[in-house]
Amino acid sequence: MQSSPSAPRPFMNKARRNLLLLLAVFVLPIGMAKLVLEQGWYQGGSTNRGVLVAQPAPDWVSTPSSWQLMYVLPEACDEVCQAALFTLRQVPQALGRKQDRVQSSVITHDKAQKAEVSGDLNEVITTITISQEQYQSAALPEGLTALYIVDPLGNLVMAYPLQFLEVLPEKEQQQAILKLGKDTFLDLKRLLKLSKVG
């Protein structure tokens, strides 16, 4: 006896179900990803902790042969300035064996009170003196009250604004200074790991 052609065969149903399941496994994730991106549900993450800057450093910043942590010394060195100098000293030391790839630099000018911070400016920190005109015309993306990371090719890479420290209470200010150092350290460590230059 022959079976009638209209009778369903269990093998065909199982094969069709497996094919549809296999197709869904590959198509469904692509469709879901497209939906998530189109609806704006995905918030892209960033791993940097500072502000990403992509511009050449000013002319008065000499092109270093290594990575550079840079800070422009204000006319009077207050708590924010002291925090920046603390970070300039500590971050290279925290890098351990990679500290020879990083140079800390303080940019000073004619009216900067270097005597106030002479104890802080030691052999770990290089001092670069510029004129008052260069200081006033400095066009840095986050202003003069910020720490900057400069790559060996002479480009500003990251900035860490310091203005927010001025408005914090003293207890929170100490924690923010430590966080600033940690953020600078983590970004610089990642840059040194990814870069073969300098």
Side-chain angles (χ1 to χ4, degrees):
M1 260 189 163
Q2 290 184 338
S3 62
S4 67
S6 63
R9 290 190 261 172
F11 176 75
M12 288 298 270
N13 285 339
K14 187 174 181 181
R16 180 175 282 171
R17 183 174 44 100
N18 286 344
L19 180 64
L20 289 175
L21 184 62
L22 185 64
L23 188 63
V25 164
F26 288 104
V27 173
L28 190 61
I30 294 170
M32 291 297 293
K34 184 172 172 39
L35 178 69
V36 166
L37 289 174
E38 285 179 353
Q39 295 299 321
W41 295 335
Y42 174 72
Q43 300 296 321
S46 67
T47 57
N48 58 307
R49 295 166 181 256
V51 178
L52 188 61
V53 179
Q55 75 178 47
D59 295 339
W60 41 263
V61 175
S62 60
T63 304
S65 58
S66 60
W67 288 85
Q68 185 176 24
L69 276 173
M70 182 185 78
Y71 177 66
V72 179
L73 194 68
E75 291 185 16
C77 194
D78 56 1
E79 292 85 17
V80 173
C81 171
Q82 293 295 331
L85 294 175
F86 174 78
T87 302
L88 287 177
R89 279 191 318 272
Q90 297 300 314
V91 168
Q93 291 177 359
L95 289 169
R97 64 185 175 141
K98 293 185 180 181
Q99 70 182 345
D100 58 335
R101 293 181 64 192
V102 179
Q103 172 188 352
S104 293
S105 299
V106 171
I107 311 299
T108 63
H109 54 92
D110 302 336
K111 293 188 178 179
Q113 298 179 0
K114 292 176 241 178
E116 273 184 39
V117 293
S118 62
D120 293 322
L121 301 177
N122 53 25
E123 64 276 351
V124 177
I125 301 175
T126 304
T127 305
I128 300 169
T129 304
I130 61 172
S131 68
Q132 184 68 19
E133 294 80 33
Q134 289 173 317
Y135 175 77
Q136 290 174 342
S137 67
L140 295 170
E142 294 296 321
L144 296 173
T145 312
L147 278 174
Y148 291 93
I149 295 178
V150 182
D151 72 5
L153 303 176
N155 299 308
L156 297 173
V157 179
M158 301 289 294
Y160 302 89
L162 303 171
Q163 295 92 342
F164 73 95
L165 291 173
E166 298 170 350
V167 296
L168 292 176
E170 189 172 333
K171 187 175 183 180
E172 291 179 24
Q173 195 175 45
Q174 295 299 321
Q175 292 173 346
I177 290 169
L178 293 175
K179 184 179 181 324
L180 170 72
K182 183 178 180 183
D183 291 349
T184 308
F185 167 73
L186 292 172
D187 281 346
L188 192 55
K189 184 177 175 183
R190 187 173 296 115
L191 286 169
L192 290 174
K193 181 180 179 182
L194 297 174
S195 171
K196 302 300 178 204
V197 181

